[in-house]
Amino acid sequence: MSRTSPETRCHPGGDSTSAPSICVLGIGNLLWADEGFGVRCVEALQQRHEFAPQVSLVDGGTQGLYLIQHVQSADRLLIFDAIDYGLEPGTLKLVRDDDVPRFMGAKKMSLHQTGFQEVLSLAQLTGQYPAQVLLIGCQPQELDDYGGSLRPVVKAAMDEALALGVAEIARWGGQPVPRRQPLRGRETVTMDELALAAYETLRPAPEAACREGDERFFPKAA
């Protein structure tokens, strides 16, 4: 089981509304192995649970600054992401509130983290920063595998990450319950073709798929 290392600093103040808006955001790139952890968490959360109307689940992918509207409009923000904390692969670490931008930029693994750190900073600058923010980050094992999926140790950490996320959403008033109605068609946060089972099952073997580029555009030998 992965270990959890919490940050305990709390955001001052709060929101007095009875139903604060809650945004659950998974960021990362599904196509680069453990980089897809955040998106996979949001995908699984949607498959397993239903929530109150004020809860929105967002596949943030690698959109960077295009996510600003989601951050600025949220009273509570829950982020799932793969973060290089320098810990053992599969280790979860919780970071809260004003410390989140610092951790997002501590050791960038990809451009999406640069962009999202800017999103958080811009939200703070404009005075539209959520009253409470929780980052549930997982230490990746492998990133350099284009078309690859989560490594077993990172996939195994998802259940604990989801349990922590559901507990936080419940504390925020998001009313999580086990899913009763099956998802239909394009209701899913990720496209059907990129859903975890299809993505892993349909990936061709290395000998059946070029991993280095499109051979149609390789220079032809004279």
Side-chain angles (χ1 to χ4, degrees):
M1 176 177 287
S2 57
R3 298 176 299 283
T4 304
S5 174
E7 290 283 328
T8 57
R9 182 182 175 193
C10 294
H11 192 287
D15 190 327
S16 60
T17 61
S18 57
S21 61
I22 301 169
C23 179
V24 183
L25 187 59
I27 58 178
N29 192 331
L30 293 178
L31 301 180
W32 288 101
D34 291 335
E35 254 250 55
F37 173 82
V39 177
R40 292 304 183 199
C41 282
V42 171
E43 177 185 80
L45 201 63
Q46 185 191 37
Q47 291 171 345
R48 301 179 189 182
H49 293 85
E50 298 175 5
F51 301 94
Q54 73 269 19
V55 180
S56 60
L57 305 182
V58 179
D59 171 1
T62 58
Q63 296 180 60
L65 286 173
Y66 290 102
L67 297 173
I68 185 64
Q69 60 180 330
H70 297 293
V71 175
Q72 290 179 321
S73 62
D75 298 311
R76 310 284 188 267
L77 178 63
L78 173 61
I79 306 162
F80 291 98
D81 196 10
I83 304 287
D84 187 356
Y85 297 114
L87 303 173
E88 288 295 316
T91 302
L92 298 177
K93 186 176 180 68
L94 276 61
V95 182
R96 292 185 181 273
D97 302 318
D98 293 336
D99 286 332
V100 173
R102 177 169 60 86
F103 272 88
M104 293 295 297
K107 188 175 181 182
K108 300 180 180 68
M109 300 185 305
S110 64
L111 290 175
H112 89 259
Q113 288 181 336
T114 302
F116 195 69
Q117 184 187 25
E118 292 174 350
V119 167
L120 297 176
S121 297
L122 181 59
Q124 288 178 320
L125 186 64
T126 59
Q128 294 177 280
Y129 194 72
Q132 295 183 40
V133 181
L134 174 62
L135 166 64
I136 300 178
C138 181
Q139 176 70 38
Q141 179 179 35
E142 178 66 48
L143 302 174
D144 244 357
D145 181 14
Y146 183 65
S149 190
L150 301 180
R151 293 304 186 256
V153 68
V154 172
K155 187 185 290 187
M158 282 181 57
D159 282 343
E160 183 181 357
L162 293 174
L164 292 166
V166 168
E168 193 73 8
I169 294 170
R171 281 192 289 271
W172 289 344
Q175 303 172 25
V177 295
R179 176 162 290 283
R180 296 158 295 189
Q181 299 296 326
L183 294 168
R184 297 171 297 180
R186 293 298 182 180
E187 289 181 341
T188 56
V189 293
T190 52
M191 294 189 299
D192 293 344
E193 298 82 1
L194 291 176
L196 182 59
Y199 183 77
E200 291 184 340
T201 304
L202 299 177
R203 186 191 193 196
E207 61 271 14
C210 181
R211 298 281 192 245
E212 298 177 352
D214 191 330
E215 62 183 6
R216 294 173 299 172
F217 302 105
F218 290 163
K220 299 296 190 293

